[in-house]
Amino acid sequence: MTMTPQEVQEHFMTYLEATECSVIEKSSEHVTVKLSPQADKMLTNRPYYWGFVERTGAPAETLSFTFVFDPTKYDEALAKQQKNSASPAGQGQDPVLSRYYGTAPLLPVLGPGRIQREDVTYGSSRLAQIWNAAREEGKCVYLFQQPSAPAAQRGRSTAYEQWLGVCFKVEFSCDLKREELHFLGISMSSRAIIEHFPAVLEGRELHPRLPERVHVKPAVLTLTEAAALLEDYLIEKLSRLDYGWAAQARERLKQELAVIDGYYEDLLKEEDEEKKALIAEQYENRKSEMQWQYEPKVSLSAITSGLFHLCSPVSASS
Amino acid sequence: MNNRPAEPVGSHPDNRLPVPIHRDRSWLEDLESRLDKGGPWGDWRLSKLAVEGEKARLVTSFEELQCLKHIGDLSPLPHQTDTARRVLFEMSGRAILADEVGLGKTIEAGLILKEYMVRGLVSKVLILVPASLVLQWVRELNSKFGIPAVAQKKMYSWENDIVVASMDTAKRDPHSEILLNREYDMLIIDEAHKLKNKKTSNYKFIEKLRKKYCLLLTATPVQNDLSELFNLITLLKPGQLGGQGQFAANFVVDKRKPKNQDQLKDELSKVMIRNRRGESDVAFTKRTVRNVGLNLSPDEQALYDGVTSFVKDQYQAAGGNLSSMLSLVTLQREVCSSRDAVFVTLVNLSKKLPEDSPLRDKIWELVYLIKNIKANTKAEKTIELIREMNEKVIVFTEYRATQEYLLNYFRDHGLISVPYRGGMNRGKKDWMMDLFRGRAQVMIATEAGGEGINLQFCHHMINFDLPWNPMRVEQRIGRVHRLGQTNDVKIFNLSTSGTIEEHILNLLHEKINMFEMVIGGLDVILERYEKKESIEKSLYKIMLESGNDDEIRQRLHSLGDSLEHIRRDLEQQNISEPLREEEA
């Protein structure tokens, strides 16, 4: 898939807001923002600076950026703006410098006050960095559903069910690769498994604090057991997929191995023991390179995981 | 299903799947430890964003090129994306990219690398290129593909994920030991025809490197001998063409002449892609060449004659000892360029002589002749041409002094021009390019080779004087006549009649037909010619040894013939024919 400038901007704004950055200016094409210390540490790759700040207690000065999501439109808007406000004697000229050197460009502002422009579109490394930072900071959550009615109106305590939710990433790889995401949830008290967990979470307001007058049903599963059940469920599901790709990759590997077997068979007739050993080593290396390149495998990892405390009953859609 | 007993934790094969499964359980440990400590817990908005981000870059298909969406501004040409597809999906990432010069092998390699990186199949990459191209590769990968490649500078540079280095550095100790102890998801080698000989240290080094995917880039996979091709392929996929003996028996008649061409073509097409200019979708614009003949002014002619007889005298005095004389021919060439150029050389020459040498007087006589010259015929003509075309133009000269002269001369005549030369640092070069793109009408360059001058926005070129090496002429033209040029390219060659310049232009133009010929063939022809002697040296010899103009003409004629002969030879032997698997 790819993303429109608006979608990219939404992703950016989510990150900037969640990390409490202060937005200086915003249009549909761009946002100018002063990063919060948290975001600055994740995005600007200045470990020495932050080390210095932390050791000396010096007041931290975070960087500011203008992120442009739709460069063409932004430039057009910028040009229009400049045209309207341009004075004939060359906008942005330093009067003293230009007297001596003719038209001289305005010296770039360096230091903390400087705002760097950066174009961000789908595929740019800054966007990937935002996602990676979000994953780093959001990979483990512990949340409670906020009750719809205030505690006082609800009478007796509401029963909450604890769910383990995990967004798994499945990678099918050989010399090529394909991926799937599976966001599963399992109830710690009833062992019920929900295949599309975000659908359950949808519409529930989640908050890190335990609300008043609720109680959590006792868990019958340990975390490890719950995790194993989820994995097991997922693997069961994966086992029903087509593994033609793996068979094909093994076929490719077999053919390649046959080719080098033929090639080295002759070479290994070498009389000189020393040379022969070298050839044999090369042969082994080449074979293991091929295994590395073609051998099909599946790997399972998690993007995020967390414990969700939801108002029961949860309507399991699966 | 819910009541299935919990499985033991760990990573092991699962018999329900036909392939091994690896489970990364680090998330569980993380979750447990945070539960123990009561946090810290992540922000739910960020958690959702992480999942959204993962969805947005999920590789949902084995066989669909992902990289195109990730490279923003760059829009590769159809033959480049086709090549990337074939390497990924038909060749499993081990291939020789053998496009003819100018079709964008670097772009193809970048696409393939980017695709593997997007798919998460490649993270450690080693890119080996000639030293002069290291920075260019780094820049292109970063700016065009967003691939964070770095140039190898210090030992710790090897720690980076994506390193560009020169082959000469990499194969040397202590670097080679470090590299041989690692494994690279991808190895890319530019100018891979240098790996044609099995016995060289380069070859042995590459053979030992542990790599998963591998791209070899070369415009000339075969230069002299079919076994070169065999060696190159053996690096990638040993046995693809059988063993050495089988290969010789099946495919080789004579070392330059293949047999069973169809079968060879077939085998080659499994490991090599060669796009050709004629066949690709790339529409190169036309080149038109105008030779502008000029007559030297009487004063200039007097200097030329003076220098010529000086050179001849010296040559005879030295008893025909060639090597020390070669630089003297330069004097003659310089007179044809500008008095400034010849002046500098003469002064340097006299400085090297002992105080009392009689030669000093002779040199000073020549210097007096220089003083008489008040105007530069070529420079006047150049201004006239530039005013006529009234567009951006690049002027090439061989000499620094001429460059300086022209800068001043143009400025005095109200033309804005910028210099460009090899010795400038990167920043200055970029600056000069920007000035030329923007305000200056003229760029005066002494250097065409090397990296980074791509002037597609300009389609006029004046050769103020000509290099004697045809490849360098081609490099000059290549600066403007390249991918992305949308106009026909106009080339003007200035030549002064009755001088050695006229002879050389005659050779390049009439004989080699250099200016219309597309590159690709030329380097092969030259390499074969230069097995005997470099072409520049041949030319110098002819100029020195010949008694008169007729003799020069004759000897140049026969040199042209032998080049022509090589070319016909190449065509006849069809040496490149089996490589043309794109045909049919």
Side-chain angles (χ1 to χ4, degrees), chain A residues 140 177 179 231-232 288, chain B residues 4 16 25 42 119 210:
Chain A
C140 279
K177 192 170 137 190
E179 302 165 337
E231 275 181 356
D232 194 53
S288 83
Chain B
R4 191 185 299 275
R16 285 170 293 176
R25 280 265 180 92
R119 286 175 181 267
R210 189 166 158 78

Side-chain angles (χ1 to χ4, degrees), chain A residues 122 132 137-140 169 175 177 179 224 229 231-232 236 263 286 288-289 293 298-300, chain B residues 4 7 16 20 22-25 30 32 42 47 54 56-57 59 92 94 119 210-211 213 234:
Chain A
Y122 179 76
N132 294 341
E137 293 171 86
K139 63 181 171 188
C140 279
K169 181 172 175 177
D175 55 316
K177 192 170 137 190
E179 302 165 337
T224 313
L229 282 174
E231 275 181 356
D232 194 53
E236 181 68 33
Y263 178 79
R286 190 64 199 98
S288 83
E289 271 179 16
Q293 185 182 358
V298 173
S299 45
L300 217 60
Chain B
R4 191 185 299 275
E7 280 193 26
R16 285 170 293 176
H22 173 81
R23 310 175 199 195
D24 177 356
R25 280 265 180 92
D30 198 6
E32 275 171 336
S47 180
E54 211 57 47
R57 52 182 160 168
V59 180
S92 304
R94 281 188 176 233
R119 286 175 181 267
R210 189 166 158 78
K211 60 227 172 250
Y213 306 106
T234 301

